Amino acid sequence: MSSTLSTLTLDRCAVHTRTNKPWSLARCCEAYCSRGIGGISVWQDAAQAAGMGEARAIIESNGLRVPAYVRGGFFTAHDAADRTTALDDNRRLIDEAGVLNAEMLVLVVGATPKLSLAEARAQVAAGIEELLPHAESTGVKLAIEPLHPMYADDKSCINRTTDARAICERLASPMLGVALDVYHTWWDPAHEAEIEKLGANNQLFGFHVCDWKQNTGHLLTDRGLMGDGCIDVPGIRAMVESTGFDGMIEVEVFSESYWASDQNSYLDLIVDRLGTHT
Ligand code: ZN
C-alpha cells in the first residue's frame, strides 16, 4: 500500500459539533465557515436544539457540507420491545439526517450489560438489516463505527473493523459501510489490511481524527487533538487515502479540558493541527 500523503486542504475537512460542545450549531457553522473549513458533522442534540428545519437553513446559508449525522444505533436490548423502540428511533434519525442533507448516519451499535456479546452482535446485524430499506429509500447511508474494546460493556459490541466489515459483507448494501475513527482503531494489528479491504469494497464511508493521550483521564471525554497523543494520524490518513477515499476528514474530539477553554483559540489550534499533525 502506498503511503503518499496529500496536502490536506481545509475544504476537505469537517469539524464535529461535539468538538466545540459549548457552541450552538449556528456559532459552529459561522466559525467553521470563517476558517474555510468545508464541512460540519452534526450531533443530534445540536440540530434538535436549533430545530431541524432551522438547522438545515443555518448549515445551507454557510455553504457547509454535512458528512455525518451522529448518532444512531444502540440496537441491543434484553427485551424485543426495546429493540423495536430503538429501530423506530433510528428511522427518525435517518429522516433527520435526510433533512440536514447529511451523507450518512453514524451507528454506535450498542451493547447491553449481561447480554452476551455474541447475542448482542446478532441483534446488531438484525437491527441494521431491518433499517436498511429505510436508509435506501431516504438516500442516507449507514456507517457502523467500531468502538474501542473499552466500550464493549454498554456502548458497542463491535470493536474491531473486521467485525464491522463482516456485517457489511453479509448485508451487502451499497448504503452500508464503516466510519473509521483513529481513537477506536489505531491499536488494531489488522488496521492497514482492513482499511485496504474497506476501500476495495467501497465500504469506507467516514474517517474521524483525534488522538489518544497517554495517561488518559476519562474514557469518554479526555480525547486529544491530533498531535497530543500517540496515534500516527498522518500515517493512517495515508492508508485511508491510498484506497481512493475522497470523503471528508472529520475532527471529532470529546474533551472536558478543551471544552473549558476559549473555543475560538481552540478552533485555531484545530486548524493548525490539521496542517501539522494530520
Ligand atoms: Zn468517531
Side-chain angles (χ1 to χ4, degrees), residues 141-201:
K141 294 191 282 189
L142 301 178
I144 303 169
E145 180 165 356
L147 258 55
H148 190 284
M150 67 183 170
Y151 299 119
D153 57 344
D154 63 353
K155 288 190 175 51
S156 180
C157 60
I158 301 293
N159 310 107
R160 299 183 307 171
T161 311
T162 310
D163 303 316
R165 193 173 54 76
I167 296 177
C168 297
E169 297 279 303
R170 200 185 114 198
L171 298 179
S173 164
M175 300 302 288
L176 182 62
V178 170
L180 192 85
D181 187 324
V182 299
Y183 189 75
H184 299 300
T185 59
W186 68 281
W187 54 273
D188 187 349
H191 206 199
E192 184 163 8
E194 283 299 327
I195 290 171
E196 203 164 5
K197 285 176 190 161
L198 286 172
N201 296 333

Side-chain angles (χ1 to χ4, degrees), residues 106 145 180-181 184 208 223 252 254:
V106 172
E145 180 165 356
L180 192 85
D181 187 324
H184 299 300
H208 304 174
R223 291 193 191 193
E252 187 185 52
F254 307 155

